[in-house]
Amino acid sequence: MPSTTTRRTVPALIVTVLVLALAAVHMFFTAVVNVPDSAVKYGSLPGAAADAYTRPLFVQNYRIFAPNPASEDRELWFRAITRDASGETMSPWVNATAVELAEPYRRVLRKQSTIIGAERFMAAHRALTPEQQEVAARDFRGEGTGGRGEFAQALSEGGQNISEYMTSGDYILAYATQAAEALWGENADVVAVQTRVVYDPVVRWNDRMVEGAERPASSYTNTGWREPIVFPGQNSEQFARAFRAWYASAPEEATLR
């Protein structure tokens, strides 16, 4: 008959093996997702599986060190059209990323939702054809201009696959919808939302030590007005409480108040 010590050792050994196996899988996928050669990453290695595993919680692309340090800030901006008894009002632009990073502890714990969304959407927008980008710049906010279905149909006629664009676009639009509801939806209806991913380059490496060096000009995605979107399961009340607190402590130039 096995001793008490043996009976206790077997479960502990199983747990240890499982933990080590999970750690090994995590380290492997983390290494694969950072392979710089796309041909190797998606050819010889399971790059697609690694991307699916690491995004969004385990993204490692912080690029802090040479030879490839971060060269730009990518931010999510939004504004909204609200309607009340007096009519429609257009809000100013709000830098949602700056608001989200207003609390110091949020700058170091993990990559933020708006940054992840901005990076994905910027890449998807750049992958569109020029004709599709023209469609993306048009307004699709209902009431005769067409809604999400009409937008997807018009965009798909450009030839380039739109699945990643629609997925990443819905992600930032849903975030912007909740943020707009938090700021302006208490006494009015949010009837349209516009998002913009801003690409803000930093001073180039060779010019970092040059006195008076200026950052290159910013650029942004040109997207039109969209109907608000809310995903099932979103807790708008808790989001609003958190976002309003960040907004109150964000720098004024970020919120355009």
Side-chain angles (χ1 to χ4, degrees):
M1 180 177 179
S3 65
T4 302
T5 302
T6 302
R7 289 197 299 271
R8 292 176 179 174
T9 302
V10 172
L13 180 61
I14 294 175
V15 171
T16 301
V17 171
L18 288 176
V19 170
L20 290 175
L22 290 173
V25 170
H26 177 78
M27 294 174 65
F28 174 71
F29 279 140
T30 300
V32 170
V33 82
N34 285 292
V35 171
D37 191 322
S38 297
V40 174
K41 177 180 176 180
Y42 297 105
S44 304
L45 297 173
D51 289 342
Y53 172 77
T54 57
R55 295 174 180 170
L57 296 180
F58 303 123
V59 174
Q60 298 292 315
N61 188 25
Y62 291 101
R63 296 194 302 169
I64 298 175
F65 306 108
N68 189 27
S71 60
E72 75 279 340
D73 292 326
R74 295 188 181 182
E75 303 163 339
L76 173 62
W77 290 68
F78 73 94
R79 62 178 177 176
I81 294 176
T82 58
R83 181 186 298 144
D84 58 16
S86 61
E88 292 188 349
T89 303
M90 182 185 299
S91 76
W93 285 101
V94 174
N95 184 343
T97 299
V99 172
E100 195 176 30
L101 297 177
E103 294 293 339
Y105 76 90
R106 294 187 61 81
R107 303 170 197 167
V108 297
L109 292 182
R110 69 180 184 90
K111 220 170 187 182
Q112 303 307 312
S113 300
T114 57
I115 298 176
I116 294 172
E119 290 178 343
R120 289 188 60 187
F121 184 77
M122 174 70 81
H125 187 83
R126 286 178 171 174
L128 297 178
T129 65
E131 292 76 17
Q132 288 175 314
Q133 290 186 4
E134 290 181 6
V135 172
R138 287 158 43 191
D139 295 338
F140 290 86
R141 51 165 295 201
E143 299 182 2
T145 60
R148 186 182 187 281
E150 289 82 355
F151 171 59
Q153 177 62 33
L155 197 65
S156 64
E157 294 174 357
Q160 190 74 11
N161 186 287
I162 66 169
S163 58
E164 175 60 20
Y165 184 89
M166 295 299 296
T167 299
S168 59
D170 285 351
Y171 178 92
I172 63 173
L173 181 58
Y175 187 103
T177 297
Q178 284 204 110
E181 290 283 359
L183 297 181
W184 309 299
E186 188 172 358
N187 300 311
D189 295 325
V190 176
V191 297
V193 179
Q194 188 175 26
T195 59
R196 173 176 290 178
V197 171
V198 177
Y199 172 90
D200 195 14
V202 300
V203 175
R204 296 311 183 196
W205 182 260
N206 291 338
D207 299 329
R208 295 282 170 90
M209 303 305 293
V210 177
E211 185 177 356
E214 298 181 357
R215 297 175 70 142
S218 300
S219 59
Y220 57 86
T221 57
N222 188 13
T223 49
W225 290 96
R226 304 286 183 261
E227 294 179 335
I229 182 173
V230 178
F231 290 137
Q234 290 183 189
N235 192 322
S236 298
E237 183 178 346
Q238 289 188 8
F239 179 93
R241 185 162 52 248
F243 195 83
R244 290 191 195 111
W246 302 337
Y247 185 85
S249 57
E252 187 168 347
E253 62 270 18
T255 58
L256 298 182
R257 285 172 288 185

